Amino acid sequence: MSGGGPRAVIQLVILGSRIVGKAFLEAGRQAAKNAQHRPQGAAGGDAAGVTNARSGSVTDRLTREHLMTLDEAHLILNTKRGDNVEKVLQHYEHLFKANAAPVVEVTPKPAAADGQAQAGKFFSARHQQTGPRYSSPYLQSKVVRAKERIEAELRIAEEEPVSEPPPPPAPTEPPAGGAS
């Protein structure tokens, strides 16, 4: 009898389906666990450090406004906290230009004598690309926001008067005839 062959194939397909189904179920459970667990300091959908900026301090307010910490801004512009404003602006200008859209210069060319311009030569002869070959508006916006964040921090630092804290009050002596 040849009836055992198809039955074995069907059992094999059912067994394989169960194994694959269990694997998908376990993967779904693990994905749900991973979605709920977020390690401290891990980058998520929020800018790092913005969610932790909850105090009423000026720095936390600036972090929430600009959606970027001061450290992130310095990392983006490749500067350090103690660098002067000129260096920050120099790095900003370089990075902004490096991610800018290419500038295309158009030079007018006299029309052909027969009135028909050749399509292939139109762009290659009349347009010359200067500047970067690729551009990234996203990176440009990050560079601008980083510069604005550093400038805001510097403005706040300039506004705050650099004064010494008041001296502690002098200790007062207890009254002389005092214990009853």
Side-chain angles (χ1 to χ4, degrees):
M1 290 193 185
S2 63
R7 184 175 181 184
V9 170
I10 291 173
Q11 286 178 343
L12 190 63
V13 168
I14 291 173
L15 180 64
S17 299
R18 284 183 183 169
I19 293 172
V20 170
K22 285 180 183 179
F24 273 116
L25 182 65
E26 188 59 34
R29 287 180 183 158
Q30 188 63 42
K33 280 184 190 177
N34 291 346
Q36 292 173 353
H37 177 68
R38 192 177 193 183
Q40 182 67 22
D46 195 5
V50 174
T51 9
N52 296 330
R54 294 187 185 128
S55 74
S57 71
V58 176
T59 302
D60 283 350
R61 183 179 55 82
L62 289 174
T63 298
R64 286 189 309 272
E65 283 177 12
H66 295 278
L67 298 176
M68 180 181 298
T69 64
L70 185 60
D71 291 333
E72 284 178 300
H74 282 292
L75 282 172
I76 290 169
L77 293 179
N78 195 23
T79 57
K80 295 183 175 117
R81 277 193 184 229
D83 289 346
N84 58 11
V85 179
E86 291 81 23
K87 185 171 184 179
V88 171
L89 290 176
Q90 180 184 12
H91 282 237
Y92 160 76
E93 289 172 5
H94 168 74
L95 290 170
F96 190 83
K97 288 178 185 175
N99 292 297
V103 178
V104 177
E105 295 179 7
V106 178
T107 55
K109 185 177 180 181
D114 60 358
Q116 295 178 348
Q118 295 177 351
K121 291 186 179 181
F122 178 76
F123 284 105
S124 61
R126 294 185 60 200
H127 294 74
Q128 281 194 349
Q129 179 176 330
T130 59
R133 189 168 165 189
Y134 301 106
S135 64
S136 174
Y138 172 76
L139 289 178
Q140 262 190 325
S141 71
K142 287 295 248 186
V143 168
V144 170
R145 284 180 32 221
K147 180 189 76 123
E148 290 172 350
R149 174 66 170 95
I150 292 172
E151 286 177 341
E153 192 79 26
L154 291 174
R155 273 194 304 273
I156 296 297
E158 288 174 357
E159 289 175 4
E160 290 179 358
V162 182
S163 62
E164 295 181 23
T172 57
E173 293 186 26
S180 39

